[in-house]
Amino acid sequence: MAGVTFDGVTKTYPDGTTAVNSLSLAIDDGEFMVLVGPSGCGKTTALRMVAGLEEISRGELRIGDRVVNHVPSRDRDIAMVFQSYALYPHLSVYENIAFGLKIKKIPKDEIDRRVARAADVLGLEPYLQRKPRALSGGQRQRVAMGRAIVREPAAFLMDEPLSNLDAKLRVQTRAEIAKLQHELGVTTIYVTHDQVEAMTMGHRVAVMRKGELQQVADPQTLYDEPVNLFVGGFIGSPSMNMLEATLEQTNGTLTAVAGSQRVHLDEEALSARPALKQYVGRRVILGIRPEDIEDVELVTDAPADRRLKGQVELREALGSEIMVHFRVDAQPAETEDTKELAQDVHGEGSVPDQPDRSEGAIIVGRFGARSHVKEGAPIEAAVDTRALHFFDPDSGLGIYKAGTKGAA
């Protein structure tokens, strides 16, 4: 096993397109690192450079202590699991798993040992003599995993391995992969567009945008302290609500004013973000996660100065909770970051509908299942001000510590 280190790695294609720009990232031995970001952000290109499937234009890539820039893929001691299972349809499960070992002329008893171990770990023993066509999608993905495991590589590389599975099977399989990686302790680089996968699987998550690394941290830090507006909007589902706001100071306390909405910040919110005091009288972007908004009727103590008031546009009952979309008298934040995030939600190449700013902003809240809100009715929602986020509208950076330009 070995760590993987990107040191200023850049990939520029002959037409001048830079897919990855000066990526520096150290992945520890045995770590599960997830690369996440919108389509075209460079995450798969970064993975392919580790695999030796893309040449490196500049910088240095190391697997363990060895620089591998010019080492052929077959000699890098890595195993890759692709989005497509890439199984041989005419071979049995056993033969598919053992194929790479036979090519390397590994002794048969050693092949049997490795295949048996992988089959035991993956629960594939009953299927070893079956052909891929007789397996479910999840079982085929496990066979692809088994083929990687038996190689006993220094690192696993996984490129969106769950994207062909249905939603229920994805949840089950991502848990299996995370457990498997923990048991094997093999350094793993996992690429996904799904930020829920990233947050639930990775020891650390690296968020990429337009070929550049935005932030790398453990999942909770990414959620609690996004370094900038892009990371804040990308991490979280549903995504963070973002409003244009101004900070006002009265009697030593701060209030975020967004249109007719006024949200008082308590001492806990200010102590976590002391740099906010530098923004008194200035514009900021106010970020509110849906899970930090609740129907005021379900909150025991909801101060009047920590509420949003609006009208319900849509109510989505999900059983355990209700997603409530309501319109408030405030302006939605509109920056290059928010436009790119909207583009990602609507799909590559599409042009999302531009909101009519004269009609206010739509806020999404995760309400408790006991909420009785109705479409078309007025609503008051309590806001947990301890969990609010603030961003500089010019730089897009998160506002945290005094004297700094954002969270590291």
Side-chain angles (χ1 to χ4, degrees):
M1 295 185 289
V4 177
T5 303
F6 295 84
D7 188 358
V9 171
T10 296
K11 174 62 182 181
T12 301
Y13 290 100
D15 65 359
T17 301
T18 297
V20 175
N21 185 25
S22 193
L23 175 61
S24 292
L25 178 64
I27 301 163
D28 296 333
D29 184 10
E31 183 175 18
F32 196 129
M33 173 67 75
V34 180
L35 305 184
V36 69
S39 299
C41 72
K43 56 188 184 294
T44 294
T45 302
L47 190 78
R48 288 174 62 83
M49 286 191 284
V50 179
L53 303 177
E54 293 280 2
E55 292 185 358
I56 296 170
S57 304
R58 292 189 304 279
E60 189 173 270
L61 178 68
R62 296 189 297 277
I63 298 179
D65 296 327
R66 182 172 64 146
V67 177
V68 297
N69 287 44
H70 304 294
V71 175
S73 179
R74 64 179 178 275
D75 298 326
R76 294 193 180 192
D77 194 19
I78 52 92
M80 192 157 183
V81 180
F82 295 95
Q83 178 177 344
S84 60
Y85 314 127
L87 302 180
Y88 296 104
H90 61 290
L91 299 181
S92 68
V93 167
Y94 175 96
E95 292 167 330
N96 267 284
I97 294 174
F99 186 83
L101 301 181
K102 289 182 177 179
I103 294 296
K104 289 188 173 184
K105 302 188 184 303
I106 302 293
K108 186 177 186 309
D109 58 345
E110 177 64 11
I111 292 177
D112 288 342
R113 183 190 71 78
R114 293 194 193 183
V115 172
R117 176 172 176 264
D120 177 59
V121 168
L122 295 166
L124 290 172
E125 299 103 319
Y127 312 108
L128 286 175
Q129 301 310 314
R130 293 190 186 181
K131 300 289 177 65
R133 64 176 175 272
L135 303 177
S136 68
Q139 290 165 342
R140 292 178 193 178
Q141 189 56 272
R142 276 187 271 163
V143 175
M145 289 287 298
R147 188 170 51 194
I149 289 171
V150 295
R151 295 181 59 182
E152 298 180 353
F156 288 140
L157 309 180
M158 301 188 187
D159 186 12
E160 306 232 25
L162 307 184
S163 59
N164 288 336
L165 304 181
D166 63 50
K168 184 177 180 180
L169 198 52
R170 271 203 306 274
V171 173
Q172 175 186 334
T173 308
R174 79 184 184 213
E176 291 175 351
I177 290 177
K179 180 183 177 187
L180 178 66
Q181 193 277 337
H182 176 74
E183 291 175 351
L184 298 176
V186 178
T187 306
T188 301
I189 307 176
Y190 186 104
V191 162
T192 181
H193 174 271
D194 185 336
Q195 52 91 24
V196 175
E197 276 183 29
M199 296 291 281
T200 54
M201 298 177 75
H203 297 155
R204 287 191 298 159
V205 178
V207 182
M208 296 187 67
R209 176 195 185 195
K210 295 181 179 178
E212 296 186 351
L213 181 64
Q214 300 294 298
Q215 185 174 5
V216 57
D218 64 272
Q220 196 61 49
T221 298
L222 280 182
Y223 180 86
D224 290 337
E225 295 187 0
V227 72
N228 58 29
L229 192 60
F230 179 82
V231 176
F234 189 81
I235 297 297
S237 181
S239 59
M240 184 185 291
N241 301 291
M242 295 180 181
L243 301 173
E244 291 184 359
T246 303
L247 287 181
E248 294 184 357
Q249 185 169 15
T250 306
N251 298 325
T253 63
L254 293 186
T255 300
V257 181
S260 64
Q261 312 296 314
R262 299 179 64 87
V263 180
H264 174 73
L265 307 183
D266 58 20
E267 191 57 39
E268 188 173 349
L270 294 176
S271 62
R273 295 165 175 78
L276 283 175
K277 294 178 181 178
Q278 302 171 7
Y279 284 79
V280 172
R282 297 167 57 186
R283 290 191 310 117
V284 295
I285 292 175
L286 169 62
I288 314 173
R289 293 199 184 277
E291 46 272 33
D292 297 321
I293 305 173
E294 179 60 277
D295 184 350
V296 75
E297 299 295 332
L298 302 182
V299 180
T300 304
D301 180 19
D305 57 3
R306 298 174 201 176
R307 300 182 184 183
L308 297 175
K309 299 178 181 180
Q311 181 170 314
V312 178
E313 298 267 321
L314 177 65
R315 178 183 185 275
E316 298 175 298
L318 303 178
S320 61
E321 61 187 2
I322 302 172
M323 292 295 182
V324 178
H325 304 242
F326 60 101
R327 188 177 298 276
V328 298
D329 176 25
Q331 294 299 310
E334 189 172 308
T335 69
E336 289 304 313
D337 299 279
T338 60
K339 289 177 182 177
E340 184 176 344
L341 289 165
Q343 187 81 32
D344 181 56
V345 169
H346 286 77
E348 189 176 359
S350 67
V351 179
D353 295 333
Q354 297 302 311
D356 185 345
R357 294 170 64 83
S358 65
E359 295 184 1
I362 295 293
I363 297 289
V364 180
R366 284 180 181 267
F367 285 14
R370 293 181 292 112
S371 172
H372 297 296
V373 296
K374 296 181 180 179
E375 292 181 6
I379 180 68
E380 279 195 65
V383 178
D384 184 350
T385 60
R386 298 168 299 177
L388 293 178
H389 296 266
F390 297 87
F391 303 93
D392 185 297
D394 297 320
S395 68
L397 293 174
I399 303 171
Y400 296 103
K401 298 177 182 177
T404 64
K405 294 183 177 180

Short mmCIF file of all heavy atoms in Angstrom, two decimals, residues 21 32 54 81 221 347 386:
data_model
loop_
_atom_site.label_atom_id
_atom_site.label_comp_id
_atom_site.label_asym_id
_atom_site.label_seq_id
_atom_site.Cartn_x
_atom_site.Cartn_y
_atom_site.Cartn_z
N ASN A 21 -5.58 22.09 -13.26
CA ASN A 21 -4.63 23.20 -13.18
C ASN A 21 -3.90 23.20 -11.84
O ASN A 21 -4.50 23.49 -10.80
CB ASN A 21 -5.36 24.53 -13.38
CG ASN A 21 -4.42 25.71 -13.42
OD1 ASN A 21 -3.24 25.57 -13.76
ND2 ASN A 21 -4.91 26.88 -13.07
N PHE A 32 -9.27 7.01 2.35
CA PHE A 32 -10.34 7.00 1.34
C PHE A 32 -10.59 8.46 0.97
O PHE A 32 -11.23 9.21 1.72
CB PHE A 32 -11.61 6.37 1.91
CG PHE A 32 -12.64 5.96 0.88
CD1 PHE A 32 -13.18 4.69 0.89
CD2 PHE A 32 -13.07 6.85 -0.10
CE1 PHE A 32 -14.14 4.30 -0.04
CE2 PHE A 32 -14.01 6.48 -1.05
CZ PHE A 32 -14.55 5.20 -1.02
N GLU A 54 -3.81 9.15 -18.77
CA GLU A 54 -3.61 10.50 -19.30
C GLU A 54 -2.19 10.94 -18.97
O GLU A 54 -1.70 10.71 -17.86
CB GLU A 54 -4.60 11.50 -18.66
CG GLU A 54 -6.05 11.29 -19.01
CD GLU A 54 -6.43 11.84 -20.37
OE1 GLU A 54 -5.53 12.37 -21.06
OE2 GLU A 54 -7.61 11.74 -20.73
N VAL A 81 -11.58 0.56 -10.89
CA VAL A 81 -12.96 0.11 -11.04
C VAL A 81 -13.71 1.20 -11.79
O VAL A 81 -13.80 2.34 -11.32
CB VAL A 81 -13.63 -0.16 -9.68
CG1 VAL A 81 -15.07 -0.63 -9.88
CG2 VAL A 81 -12.84 -1.18 -8.89
N THR A 221 -16.37 19.21 8.18
CA THR A 221 -15.78 20.54 8.02
C THR A 221 -16.26 21.19 6.73
O THR A 221 -16.55 22.39 6.71
CB THR A 221 -14.24 20.45 8.04
OG1 THR A 221 -13.82 19.94 9.31
CG2 THR A 221 -13.60 21.81 7.81
N GLY A 347 -28.26 20.64 -15.55
CA GLY A 347 -27.62 19.78 -16.54
C GLY A 347 -26.71 20.55 -17.45
O GLY A 347 -26.92 21.72 -17.78
N ARG A 386 -27.34 29.85 14.63
CA ARG A 386 -26.01 29.31 14.92
C ARG A 386 -25.39 28.66 13.69
O ARG A 386 -24.16 28.53 13.60
CB ARG A 386 -26.08 28.28 16.04
CG ARG A 386 -26.59 28.81 17.38
CD ARG A 386 -26.89 27.68 18.33
NE ARG A 386 -27.94 26.81 17.80
CZ ARG A 386 -28.37 25.70 18.40
NH1 ARG A 386 -27.83 25.34 19.56
NH2 ARG A 386 -29.32 24.96 17.86
#
